[in-house]
C-alpha cells in the first residue's frame, strides 16, 4: 500500500511539473519550429521531436543520427551550421530526409531545449507533453525495488578557469528511501569527463561519493551534464558542470 501511495505521489508530481512547464516549452518549441522552417501541419502530425546537438555525448549523438531514416512520425532537428557539415556528420544529404531540419543558428541550444545530450520531446497535436534524454543505454532498473535519492548539490560552477586545467567535482548521493540504492549507469555528455564511484549497494540513510573529473580542452563557456541512473524515483538525476575556459 505504501509503495502504491508513493507511486501515486510521484505520478502526481510529474503531472504537475509537466503542466507548469508546458506553456514555456510550447513557446520555445514554436520559435524553434519557425526558425528551422517546420510548417504547422507537419508539427501537428508528429508524435515525437528529437533534437540532436552538434557536440557532446558522441555515442548518444551517433545513436540519434542512426534513427534519422527509420522514424516516420518523428521530427529531427539537428544543430548543424551547413548542409555540407550535416553530410560529413551523418553521410546523408538533408534533402534526402524529409523529416530532418537543420538548426543552423543553434536556436535549440540558445533556448535551453538541448545541451550536449540529444533530447526527445513527446508531442500531442503539436503541443509539448514531456521530454527526456535520448541516450545510448538499456533500462536496468525495472526489476530493482525503488528508493529515493538526493544529491548534496546538482550544479558545480567553477567560474573562470585556465585552458588545459583539470578539475574534480564531488557529488554526495544520499539514499533517503527505504530500499538499498543501486547506481546502474552513468552517462557523461563529453569525452572530456571521467567519473568514478564505489559500485556497491547503498543502504538507507547512507551516502555514495561520485567523483567527476573535467579537462578544460576548449576556450569559452561550457555546460556539461552527468546523468545518473539507478533504482530511485526520478531516474535519471541530472548533475551539471559549468564555467568559462580562458586562454593560457
Amino acid at each position: 500500500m505504501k509503495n502504491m501511495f508513493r507511486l501515486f505521489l510521484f505520478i502526481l508530481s510529474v503531472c504537475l511539473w509537466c503542466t507548469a512547464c508546458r506553456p514555456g516549452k510550447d513557446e520555445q518549441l514554436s520559435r524553434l519550429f519557425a526558425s528551422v522552417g517546420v510548417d504547422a501541419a507537419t508539427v501537428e502530425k508528429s508524435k515525437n521531436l528529437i533534437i540532436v546537438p552538434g557536440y557532446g555525448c558522441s555515442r548518444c549523438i551517433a545513436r540519434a543520427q542512426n534513427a534519422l531514416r527509420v522514424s516516420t512520425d518523428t521530427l529531427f532537428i539537428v544543430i548543424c551550421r551547413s548542409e555540407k557539415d550535416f553530410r560529413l556528420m551523418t553521410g546523408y544529404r538533408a534533402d534526402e530526409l524529409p523529416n530532418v531540419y537543420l538548426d543552423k543558428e543553434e536556436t535549440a541550444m540558445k533556448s535551453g531545449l538541448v545541451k550536449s545530450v540529444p533530447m526527445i520531446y513527446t508531442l500531442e497535436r503539436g503541443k509539448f507533453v514531456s521530454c527526456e534524454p535520448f541516450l545510448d543505454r538499456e533500462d536496468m532498473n525495472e526489476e530493482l525495488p525503488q528508493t529515493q535519492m538526493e544529491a548534496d548539490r546538482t550544479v558545480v560552477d567553477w567560474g573562470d578557469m585556465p585552458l588545459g586545467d583539470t578539475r574534480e567535482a564531488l557529488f554526495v548521493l544520499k539514499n533517503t528511501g527505504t530500499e538499498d540504492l543501486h547506481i546502474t549507469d552513468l552517462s557523461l555528455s563529453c569525452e572530456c569527463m571521467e567519473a568514478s564511484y564505489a559500485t556497491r549497494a547503498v543502504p538507507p540513510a547512507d551516502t555514495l561519493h561520485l567523483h567527476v573529473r573535467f579537462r578544460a580542452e576548449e576556450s569559452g563557456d561550457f555546460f556539461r551534464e552527468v546523468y545518473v541512473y539507478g533504482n530511485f524515483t526520478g531516474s535519471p538525476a541530472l548533475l551539471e558542470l559549468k564555467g568559462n575556459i580562458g586562454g593560457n
Side-chain angles (χ1 to χ4, degrees):
M1 182 64 70
K2 288 183 179 179
N3 288 336
M4 290 295 294
F5 182 66
R6 284 200 294 266
L7 178 61
F8 170 75
L9 290 179
F10 171 64
I11 294 173
L12 178 62
S13 65
V14 171
C15 292
L16 291 174
W17 177 85
C18 290
T19 301
C21 68
R22 182 175 288 116
K25 291 296 186 187
D26 282 337
E27 184 177 342
Q28 290 174 324
L29 289 171
S30 293
R31 288 199 296 266
L32 175 61
F33 292 143
S35 70
V36 301
V38 187
D39 61 79
T42 300
V43 173
E44 182 86 5
K45 67 182 181 182
S46 299
K47 295 181 180 179
N48 298 295
L49 162 68
I50 296 177
I51 304 177
V52 186
Y55 66 87
C57 175
S58 56
R59 290 182 307 163
C60 308
I61 292 173
R63 179 177 175 237
Q65 291 174 355
N66 289 338
L68 292 175
R69 279 191 177 276
V70 300
S71 298
T72 58
D73 58 357
T74 298
L75 284 174
F76 289 85
I77 294 181
V78 182
I79 297 177
C80 189
R81 294 182 178 179
S82 68
E83 303 276 347
K84 180 179 179 181
D85 286 347
F86 177 80
R87 188 166 187 178
L88 290 174
M89 285 171 52
T90 66
Y92 306 136
R93 294 200 316 269
D95 57 11
E96 294 178 313
L97 307 171
N99 59 335
V100 174
Y101 297 81
L102 302 188
D103 182 5
K104 299 178 182 178
E105 303 299 323
E106 298 189 352
T107 303
M109 188 78 70
K110 293 173 183 176
S111 63
L113 290 169
V114 72
K115 291 185 179 179
S116 50
V117 172
M119 296 293 293
I120 180 166
Y121 285 79
T122 302
L123 307 175
E124 183 175 349
R125 299 184 64 84
K127 299 298 183 181
F128 171 79
V129 175
S130 63
C131 62
E132 62 180 328
F134 187 88
L135 298 175
D136 183 22
R137 61 178 301 280
E138 297 293 334
D139 190 1
M140 296 177 285
N141 308 316
E142 292 182 355
E143 297 181 0
L144 294 172
Q146 294 293 291
T147 188
Q148 306 286 329
M149 188 273 286
E150 291 182 3
D152 65 328
R153 55 181 175 170
T154 58
V155 179
V156 172
D157 187 348
W158 281 312
D160 295 330
M161 57 187 298
L163 183 65
D165 198 10
T166 299
R167 299 282 178 92
E168 182 173 296
L170 171 63
F171 296 94
V172 180
L173 310 180
K174 183 175 182 179
N175 183 355
T176 58
T178 58
E179 303 286 347
D180 284 354
L181 170 67
H182 298 265
I183 302 302
T184 57
D185 195 16
L186 289 178
S187 181
L188 307 177
S189 67
C190 178
E191 295 180 355
C192 58
M193 294 192 297
E194 299 174 356
S196 62
Y197 62 99
T199 55
R200 63 178 178 85
V202 182
D206 203 352
T207 59
L208 178 74
H209 287 188
L210 172 62
H211 300 267
V212 181
R213 290 172 60 85
F214 170 78
R215 300 183 302 278
E217 297 179 345
E218 297 182 3
S219 298
D221 293 331
F222 69 89
F223 300 88
R224 299 292 184 266
E225 299 90 34
V226 180
Y227 287 94
V228 182
Y229 287 84
N231 64 323
F232 55 88
T233 302
S235 175
L238 171 61
L239 308 175
E240 296 182 287
L241 308 175
K242 66 179 182 178
N244 177 269
I245 302 172
N248 291 318

